[in-house]
Amino acid sequence: MPHDSLSFIFLDAVLANNFVLALFLGLCPFLGVSGRLETALPMGLATTFVMLVSSICAWLINAILVTFQIEFLRLIAYIAVIASAVQLVEMALKKFSPGLFRALGIYLPLITTNCAILGLALFQTFRHYDFLQSLVFSLGAGGGFTLAILLMAGLREKLALAEVPSIVQGAAISLILGGLLSLTFMGFAGLGGQT
Amino acid sequence: MNGESPKPVTWETFAAGLWRENPVFVMLLGMCPVLAVTNSAVNALAMGLATTFVLVASGLLVSLLRAAIPKQVRIATYIVIIATFVTIVDYTIQAISLDLYNALGAFIQLIVVNCIILGRAEAYASRNRPLPAVVNALGMGVGFTFALLCLGGVRELLGAGSLFGVALFGDRFEPWVVMLLPPGGFLVLGGWLLLFAWLRRRRGQAVSVEGGTCHTIR
């Protein structure tokens, strides 16, 4: 499979270079919101949605910045764009789909500080993806994030029933669990190899 | 130092970030760079220093401007200030060492969304005079660097048998490569947290480490 085909980009972002388990992006919600399955799923979907929107915005912004040769403003521009995109998504959802808006609740504004979003925008710029590739990349990254947070939530729900020594409880067991998940995802590296 | 200052600058202002409120081991903030760049001690040190610079510089500026920033747009203002300093660091590292720049990759620019920096700006620098703000930011930065070195040192030692690029164990050592790969980051940090939980228990302190997130500070 050529390295710039759409299917490769998608599979690479979902499995081989999973944003959470291989690239360590978006760990805060991964550890913080993965306590229960019913909160993990909306979080994953909301993040995917914001990723899609900010990926489109970042692509347009980068095209403008390159035209005017002011790439040193890229970081500031991206951050501002992501913050406004989240705000915009929030307002649009509130107007057109109150049900979904209530389901996502507090998670929507918090996505601004999720480093997976900015990471996505930066990676697609560094790898010189065109518009369609960026779109597929953001869908793959969002899907990978949702997959990781769902797996983690399922494991932690099981863990709640297990007898864990009190000293390991809390952050330590979550991290070790994340390590084991990450170890299994390493098996997918054969699909595409490291980038 | 400042007689009229309501909160005098003490050793405690600096030391809070080192141990009691260590951003990584106690508050569990800024996890992404902590795990991503600590596959060698050198990378860890560089990342720690870069973050410390941004922490101190943005702390100073936020503290100086704290009367001028309107409450409603303060978060946006802080982010623009932080992004400016991160851009400076980004270009500086690129100029000093291209190898290091390539090793750290996008994570230099991702310092912007490191919750430690925004958290300090919001919780400390915006409410204090410049001197304590800088001292506190410096303490946090040193604590962060210390935590990164703890992780980077262990991972490099186990994964490559060296420390700061100097081989320690000779040729007979079989490197434990998984420690350099992503799972090693999770496992080593989990191990450190376990060690600190054990130490805390031995001292009889009933401090529980919350499964904290960046979100609690907002």
Side-chain angles (χ1 to χ4, degrees):
Chain A
M1 231 175 350
H3 274 234
D4 52 355
S5 76
L6 295 180
S7 53
F8 176 82
I9 290 173
F10 183 77
L11 280 179
D12 186 61
V14 175
L15 297 174
N17 278 305
N18 186 290
F19 260 46
V20 179
L21 297 169
L23 299 178
F24 299 116
L25 294 169
L27 281 179
C28 292
F30 177 66
L31 294 174
V33 198
S34 61
R36 292 205 324 272
L37 270 175
E38 61 257 44
T39 51
L41 186 62
M43 184 64 195
L45 294 181
T47 308
T48 309
F49 191 55
V50 175
M51 274 181 171
L52 193 62
V53 173
S54 49
S55 162
I56 296 170
C57 294
W59 190 85
L60 291 173
I61 289 281
N62 192 45
I64 295 171
L65 289 181
V66 169
T67 314
F68 291 104
Q69 297 187 330
I70 42 174
E71 286 99 334
F72 58 89
L73 284 178
R74 185 183 287 145
L75 194 59
I76 299 176
Y78 277 6
I79 271 284
V81 159
I82 290 171
S84 357
V86 172
Q87 197 78 46
L88 209 66
V89 167
E90 199 181 346
M91 287 193 296
L93 272 184
K94 201 173 186 177
K95 180 109 173 64
F96 296 114
S97 171
L100 188 60
F101 178 74
R102 266 198 304 279
L104 296 179
I106 182 74
Y107 301 128
L108 214 45
L110 291 181
I111 292 170
T112 319
T113 51
N114 185 338
C115 49
I117 314 275
L118 184 64
L120 174 93
L122 291 173
F123 279 133
Q124 80 180 29
T125 313
F126 291 155
R127 294 180 192 169
H128 303 289
Y129 283 161
D130 63 23
F131 185 69
L132 204 58
Q133 285 172 327
S134 305
L135 217 59
V136 171
F137 182 52
S138 69
L139 279 177
F145 180 82
T146 313
L147 180 67
I149 200 170
L150 277 181
L151 286 173
M152 187 69 173
L155 283 175
R156 283 179 69 175
E157 281 195 347
K158 289 269 179 239
L159 199 67
L161 303 172
E163 268 186 49
V164 180
S166 65
I167 195 167
V168 201
Q169 269 171 10
I173 190 78
S174 304
L175 280 165
I176 291 169
L177 216 52
L180 295 179
L181 258 186
S182 167
L183 208 54
T184 54
F185 267 68
M186 257 175 63
F188 291 118
L191 276 178
Q194 304 285 323
T195 47
Chain B
M1 290 171 208
N2 289 304
E4 80 280 9
S5 169
K7 244 188 193 170
V9 183
T10 60
W11 169 245
E12 187 54 28
T13 319
F14 177 73
L18 290 185
W19 181 254
R20 198 167 43 78
E21 290 177 26
N22 186 293
V24 177
F25 291 137
V26 179
M27 300 204 293
L28 294 179
L29 291 176
M31 287 285 130
C32 307
V34 169
L35 294 175
V37 300
T38 51
N39 47 17
S40 80
V42 175
N43 287 358
L45 186 64
M47 189 67 190
L49 292 181
T51 311
T52 307
F53 168 75
V54 177
L55 254 174
V56 171
S58 61
L60 178 66
L61 200 58
V62 166
S63 175
L64 285 173
L65 294 175
R66 70 188 187 282
I69 300 173
K71 265 268 170 288
Q72 295 84 356
V73 293
R74 63 183 198 287
I75 299 283
T77 318
Y78 299 158
I79 287 187
V80 172
I81 290 175
I82 294 168
T84 311
F85 286 115
V86 172
T87 309
I88 295 174
V89 168
D90 188 52
Y91 279 83
T92 311
I93 293 183
Q94 205 171 355
I96 294 173
S97 162
L98 203 58
D99 288 338
L100 194 62
Y101 183 78
N102 290 332
L104 294 178
F107 280 93
I108 304 169
Q109 307 210 358
L110 285 172
I111 296 176
V112 177
V113 278
N114 190 326
C115 354
I116 300 171
I117 299 173
L118 192 60
R120 279 295 101 186
E122 165 78 1
Y124 202 90
S126 62
R127 296 185 195 145
N128 286 284
R129 301 154 56 87
L131 189 63
V134 165
V135 171
N136 183 268
L138 203 59
M140 279 287 160
V142 174
F144 185 69
T145 312
F146 165 72
L148 282 177
L149 275 179
C150 283
L151 269 152
V154 170
R155 283 178 74 183
E156 195 183 339
L157 209 57
L158 294 177
S162 60
L163 199 61
F164 288 104
V166 183
L168 292 179
F169 296 140
D171 300 333
R172 305 282 295 277
F173 180 71
E174 183 66 40
W176 199 3
V177 181
V178 74
M179 282 302 158
L180 293 184
L181 297 171
F186 282 108
L187 295 175
V188 171
L189 183 59
W192 275 110
L193 289 178
L194 209 57
L195 180 69
F196 286 127
W198 179 70
L199 282 178
R200 231 179 260 121
R201 165 152 322 176
R202 262 188 37 153
R203 286 193 313 191
Q205 271 179 269
V207 185
S208 65
V209 180
E210 300 264 319
T213 70
C214 307
H215 305 150
T216 47
I217 56 159
R218 297 226 25 212

